[in-house]
Amino acid sequence: MPTMNGLTLRPPETFSRTHTEHAHIAGTFTVATRSGDATASLVVRVFRSNDPVTADDLCAALTESCPDADVRVVTLPAGRAAAMVRAGEYRLPPEATGHADTQVIPTYGVQLMLPASDDEHIVALDCSTNSVHGWPAIAEQAAAVAQSIHL
């Protein structure tokens, strides 16, 4: 069972018997890098789908929304999911930041969309950071969380 900072990533057995529609978990975590700690944000959310969808459908939608990302179908213990790995940047104009120049903030992330077997819900996981040095370890932690999802 994966753990992070002593916390178990698998929910307790009773969680599967609770109402999870619109449930979400959000937080941050850090990983050590050679240039200091890197922080990442992680969100896991369950939401209702308007229509039954497959991992292939979700993969096509992610590819359309972010054509420069690496998007593919992956197999998890809970089933097939669409996974997207992306890298990019945010550009903040001087008037928004008070700095003389445009501020460029890199971003690295992964998004996972897992259709539930009931054809009514989707589990979405999103993890991102602005640390190029922390990204490999952060991606590993996101993968561990994805592997721990049980429906």
Side-chain angles (χ1 to χ4, degrees), residues 43-70:
V43 176
V44 179
R45 179 172 180 239
V46 177
F47 59 95
R48 183 175 290 280
S49 175
N50 293 331
D51 297 304
V53 294
T54 66
D56 294 313
D57 297 333
L58 294 169
C59 191
L62 288 173
T63 299
E64 184 178 324
S65 70
C66 199
D68 294 332
D70 178 5

Side-chain angles (χ1 to χ4, degrees), residues 115-135:
S117 57
D118 67 4
D119 287 332
E120 294 182 10
H121 294 88
I122 297 171
V123 178
L125 176 148
D126 193 277
C127 184
S128 61
T129 185
N130 67 349
S131 171
V132 67
H133 298 295
W135 173 240

Side-chain angles (χ1 to χ4, degrees), residues 45-123:
R45 179 172 180 239
V46 177
F47 59 95
R48 183 175 290 280
S49 175
N50 293 331
D51 297 304
V53 294
T54 66
D56 294 313
D57 297 333
L58 294 169
C59 191
L62 288 173
T63 299
E64 184 178 324
S65 70
C66 199
D68 294 332
D70 178 5
V71 181
R72 62 184 74 178
V73 173
V74 298
T75 302
L76 300 172
R80 296 179 70 221
M84 174 175 69
V85 177
R86 63 191 185 278
E89 60 186 31
Y90 293 107
R91 295 184 160 273
L92 303 175
E95 59 272 11
T97 64
H99 290 90
D101 298 321
T102 296
Q103 300 296 297
V104 180
I105 302 169
T107 182
Y108 309 91
V110 62
Q111 186 175 68
L112 182 95
M113 306 278 287
L114 173 66
S117 57
D118 67 4
D119 287 332
E120 294 182 10
H121 294 88
I122 297 171
V123 178

Side-chain angles (χ1 to χ4, degrees), residues 5 9-10 13 15 18 26 42-43 47 53-54 57 79 88 91 116 127 134 141 145 150:
N5 296 334
L9 299 177
R10 181 178 295 167
E13 293 300 320
F15 185 79
T18 61
L42 177 80
V43 176
F47 59 95
V53 294
T54 66
D57 297 333
R91 295 184 160 273
C127 184
Q141 291 296 325
V145 173
H150 297 277

